Amino acid sequence: MLKQELARCLRQAVVEAQQKGALALAALPEMLIEHPQNPEHGDFSSGLPLKLARAMRMPPIAIAEKISEYIVPPPQIDRLWVAPPGFINFTLREDWLRTQVEPILANGESYGNIDLGKGKRVQVEFVSVNPTGPLHVGHGRGAVLGSTLANVLTASGYAVEKEYYINDMGNQIDNFGRSLYARYQQCLDKEAAMPPDGYYGNYMIDLAKEIVQEQGDRFLSLAESEAASQLAKIGVAKILQGIKEDLELLNVNFDTWFSERSLYQGGQYNKAMELLQSRGYIAKKENATWFESSSLGEDKDNVLVRSDGSPTYFASDIAYHYNKFVERKFDLVIDIWGADHQGHVPRMKAMLKALGQDPEQLKVILCQLVTLRRGQEIVKVSKRSGDIITLREVIDEVGPDACRFLFLARSADSQMDFDLEMAKRQSADNPVYYVQYAHARIASIIRLAEQRKIDYSQGDVSLLTTEPELTLIRRLILLPEIIERVALTLEPHHLPYYSQDLATIFHSFYKQCRVVSNDEALTKARLKLVRATQIVLAKILRLMGMTAPEKM
RNA sequence: GCGCCUGUAGCUCAGCUGGAUAGAGCGCAGCCCUGCGGAGGCUGAGGUCGCGGGUUCAAAUCCCGCCAGGCGUGCCA
């Protein structure tokens, strides 16, 4: 990328100036090249001289001048100059800029892809909600975040696998089974008490009714624990099916649905525990089995097997990550969890050390909780207590594209209020539609060109000389940088901002530059530019998992 | 108590490893259709960047201390 090339030129210039004695010797910091926000400061700039001033004991402006004497700029650069208090600014050659429309057209939907990952295998595990009830809005946020990240990493040259971890055993499932059994009996006019901490949502009653309808009363003849366990299995399958459908509506899908239970049948649990044992991290205390994480710098140990013999969630997760790293050998694993799992992160890192893995291979993204509201009224989203607004209802009300855009537009670190009223009210006049409108508008222009049988394949991009045209091109060629940045920081919220910015620049261009006109040559050139814009808009929308409509 | 996240325009939020005049959307006040989609364009008002110190040529950004909100701190997940 040009940015990196400029950084190299800059470094080389400093080194050469130092060798020739023009600049004092000093350790060089990272060469930082940025896009100044004020266009008068050029396309790129560096504040390097400001950073060197102290070590070189020289005024930054003088350093800047010295460095600029030694810079051999790449051919894409038109000119460079020094600006107080010590910046070096660069502008791109306009004739080079114009030619950049061609590679976009040539690459089509693969334009913007980069080779950052070099084929490394990365797993993104996300959503992974307990299959004990329908998804709510908070889950939607993680789903959108994860699927978008997977899209961007794929575009960045990683071999990506998307996975959903199904917690299909343990306390929650037992509880779910007992709750379902109670509802089932009630459905058949039997007296039955719900567990005090059971799942009280109305969907449990519907679920029970459905099972009665399909399978009759045959579970009544079974022992209570057997009935609960069989019903749990059936209920989990049904809930999971619903979750899958909801996610598909949001354009979220997975390569693998991984069962927790399978870790016990497949031997991963035993192998992982033996490995920890042999490495000396296991202890027995008070009838329970502990992971001695405190020996790895953790503030406390953690229970793996309870005194009643049942493994904890943490034990399963150890087996699961043993499977991810040791058996499936992923180079990188990204887990996306809700902020309420933050306490889990340090012990997972400790566990990886104990397994002999590099903890850096695991990236945990905690996304902050979503509070759902309708205007002033806060809607509670507790699954067990019952009254929840499901993700499904939100998608139905707001629409999948708008949902995705709204979720994506905030960084994972910040809590968000998802106001249903606002989301719906905005839907008429909303950044989501603003971006999609730009795409549709272009589609309409292209349709017009087709109607008039204009073949612009030989259009001459050197005719693109006005300021709105060049500004548009400058934005288009930012795409690879945006993709790289998201892949590096794992922060997809830059995508909606870029898309909106690009749409703004396009709409402004559109107002100022007539595309299909009497000037045949200019028409063809501009059709190329407009088509390139459409390609970039479609790409960014696709990365965000949204549709790029031809009409709206 | 301790740990993590957050606090930027009326509202919802950006602000890239400290950099040149702190940005966007919505809302508000105006203006622009004798040409390709007005779901559009243009202009304006609106800010003690939670508060107080510190580091630096330079702090919304880094450090320390407060204040406020969220989450965590289980033989729950």
Side-chain angles (χ1 to χ4, degrees), chain A residues 371-382:
Chain A
T371 47
L372 184 66
R373 58 199 312 165
R374 274 183 196 280
Q376 292 306 309
E377 177 203 357
I378 290 181
V379 187
K380 293 265 188 265
V381 287
S382 167

Side-chain angles (χ1 to χ4, degrees), chain A residues 109 113 154 189 230 259 307 376 421 423 426 450-451 508:
Chain A
E109 62 182 34
N113 289 357
T154 302
D189 297 323
Q230 287 194 24
S259 150
S307 43
Q376 292 306 309
E421 253 174 41
Q426 278 194 352
E450 278 166 2
Q451 273 169 29
S508 176

Side-chain angles (χ1 to χ4, degrees), chain A residues 251-473:
Chain A
N251 198 12
V252 175
N253 45 65
F254 293 89
D255 301 304
T256 308
W257 295 74
F258 192 99
S259 150
E260 177 182 2
R261 193 182 287 270
S262 76
L263 294 164
Y264 294 83
Q265 293 153 355
Q268 289 87 354
Y269 171 74
N270 287 332
K271 285 185 208 160
M273 290 305 132
E274 279 162 24
L275 183 54
L276 287 183
Q277 177 79 263
S278 70
R279 294 175 65 94
Y281 291 105
I282 301 279
K284 285 264 183 190
K285 277 186 288 186
E286 300 154 14
N287 267 336
T289 306
W290 296 72
F291 172 54
E292 296 198 296
S293 31
S294 57
S295 69
L296 291 158
E298 272 285 270
D299 40 354
K300 60 182 175 52
D301 293 342
N302 294 95
V303 172
L304 295 176
V305 184
R306 301 182 186 93
S307 43
D308 69 0
S310 63
T312 61
Y313 162 83
F314 181 44
S316 288
D317 241 11
I318 292 179
Y320 185 34
H321 285 77
Y322 170 86
N323 164 263
K324 291 187 186 197
F325 287 107
V326 178
E327 295 190 336
R328 285 194 277 172
K329 296 184 166 55
F330 284 108
D331 297 305
L332 186 68
V333 169
I334 299 170
D335 288 353
I336 297 174
W337 301 337
D340 54 342
H341 282 61
Q342 61 179 257
H344 195 46
V345 179
R347 59 174 180 257
M348 289 293 287
K349 295 279 187 179
M351 171 270 279
L352 285 177
K353 273 188 243 170
L355 289 176
Q357 302 291 315
D358 177 5
E360 285 303 299
Q361 287 176 285
L362 174 67
K363 304 273 183 208
V364 179
I365 298 176
L366 293 174
C367 76
Q368 294 294 316
L369 274 17
V370 178
T371 47
L372 184 66
R373 58 199 312 165
R374 274 183 196 280
Q376 292 306 309
E377 177 203 357
I378 290 181
V379 187
K380 293 265 188 265
V381 287
S382 167
K383 206 188 296 186
R384 273 177 245 178
S385 65
D387 251 3
I388 58 171
I389 298 233
T390 61
L391 177 60
R392 178 60 174 271
E393 292 170 77
V394 175
I395 298 172
D396 288 345
E397 276 192 45
V398 180
D401 283 340
C403 268
R404 290 197 66 112
F405 196 95
L406 292 174
F407 279 132
L408 276 176
R410 328 177 138 55
S411 76
D413 296 327
S414 51
Q415 303 156 223
M416 63 179 287
D417 279 10
F418 196 102
D419 185 344
L420 280 167
E421 253 174 41
M422 169 82 82
K424 279 198 308 186
R425 179 153 42 83
Q426 278 194 352
S427 63
D429 196 16
N430 191 307
V432 184
Y433 298 97
Y434 181 81
V435 175
Q436 292 181 320
Y437 180 68
H439 184 274
R441 204 175 212 185
I442 293 172
S444 157
I445 297 171
I446 305 271
R447 279 196 298 273
L448 178 71
E450 278 166 2
Q451 273 169 29
R452 299 199 184 164
K453 307 230 182 319
I454 303 173
D455 174 9
Y456 57 93
S457 61
Q458 302 305 313
D460 178 6
V461 293
S462 70
L463 298 174
L464 303 171
T465 56
T466 67
E467 186 270 333
E469 292 165 313
L470 293 169
T471 302
L472 180 52
I473 297 171

Side-chain angles (χ1 to χ4, degrees), chain A residues 119-189:
Chain A
K120 267 192 271 183
R121 292 180 60 233
V122 48
Q123 183 203 56
V124 186
E125 184 222 314
F126 58 111
V127 190
S128 300
V129 176
N130 284 357
T132 52
L135 299 175
H136 65 248
V137 261
H139 301 135
R141 184 180 192 182
V144 169
L145 188 68
S147 61
T148 302
L149 221 39
N151 291 342
V152 173
L153 290 170
T154 302
S156 304
Y158 289 90
V160 179
E161 291 181 38
K162 292 175 287 182
E163 187 151 309
Y164 187 117
Y165 178 56
I166 308 164
N167 299 105
D168 52 2
M169 55 174 279
N171 285 344
Q172 305 291 353
I173 294 296
D174 294 345
N175 187 1
F176 171 77
R178 283 195 303 275
S179 303
L180 186 53
Y181 181 50
R183 291 302 190 205
Y184 173 81
Q185 289 170 293
Q186 289 167 1
C187 246
L188 293 162
D189 297 323

